[in-house]
Amino acid sequence: MTCNDTEWPEDVRTYQRAVATDRERFPLFGAASANITPCAFWHNDPVEPPVEFTTEGPANVLVLQNLRDPATPLLGGQIAREAFGDRARLVSVDDGGHGVYVYADNPCALNTTTRFLLDGNLPQTDTLCAAPAGSARNAGSALALG
């Protein structure tokens, strides 16, 4: 499925540059996700064109994003939020896993998302959900959004 989502670069040097860049920017995990995958050599064309983010469409898009998601960096959530414009809100969560809702334990994120799913109303503003007090997993790890 991933390989058919979009075109993938076939030039190995493209991945070498990406790994070097991400090794500096994201030393914990970034280089691994920038590396070459079998998709570079996938012989099937994408099944359909990628979905474009525009300011047209549903007026209630909730974007959930962990600050330290190893698979989808915060920047991706911020770009998606910006592309959707005023019809979206971004819920940024001071956590490091891949997955915000149901599988995580941040009360702010869980409550914000559940309220949205129940009534369809977006929060008034973008929301930063701090790590819960006393959370051993996130103690001392708060990041500033900038």
Side-chain angles (χ1 to χ4, degrees):
M1 179 169 170
T2 300
C3 294
N4 276 355
D5 285 348
T6 188
E7 295 287 335
W8 289 78
E10 296 176 6
D11 179 37
V12 173
R13 288 187 196 100
T14 299
Y15 296 96
Q16 289 171 328
R17 286 190 300 272
V19 165
T21 299
D22 282 5
R23 184 175 286 131
E24 293 293 321
R25 291 180 67 204
F26 312 108
L28 182 62
F29 187 79
S33 62
N35 210 344
I36 198 165
T37 70
C39 295
F41 307 103
W42 193 255
H43 296 292
N44 297 324
D45 291 330
V47 176
E48 57 190 30
V51 174
E52 291 186 40
F53 289 102
T54 70
T55 55
E56 303 294 320
N60 61 345
V61 178
L62 189 67
V63 179
L64 305 171
Q65 179 71 52
N66 281 329
L67 298 182
R68 295 173 304 283
D69 185 325
T72 54
L74 176 61
L75 180 60
Q78 292 169 330
I79 290 170
R81 163 62 175 98
E82 183 178 320
F84 283 122
D86 290 336
R87 61 195 187 95
R89 297 294 180 274
L90 173 63
V91 177
S92 302
V93 184
D94 187 5
D95 205 343
H98 182 66
V100 172
Y101 190 64
V102 177
Y103 300 108
D105 61 359
N106 184 293
C108 167
L110 294 173
N111 291 334
T112 301
T113 306
T114 299
R115 274 192 304 275
F116 169 75
L117 292 172
L118 289 173
D119 65 24
N121 296 321
L122 292 171
Q124 292 296 314
T125 62
D126 290 343
T127 302
L128 172 60
C129 291
S135 172
R137 185 167 69 186
N138 291 320
S141 66
L143 298 177
L145 295 176

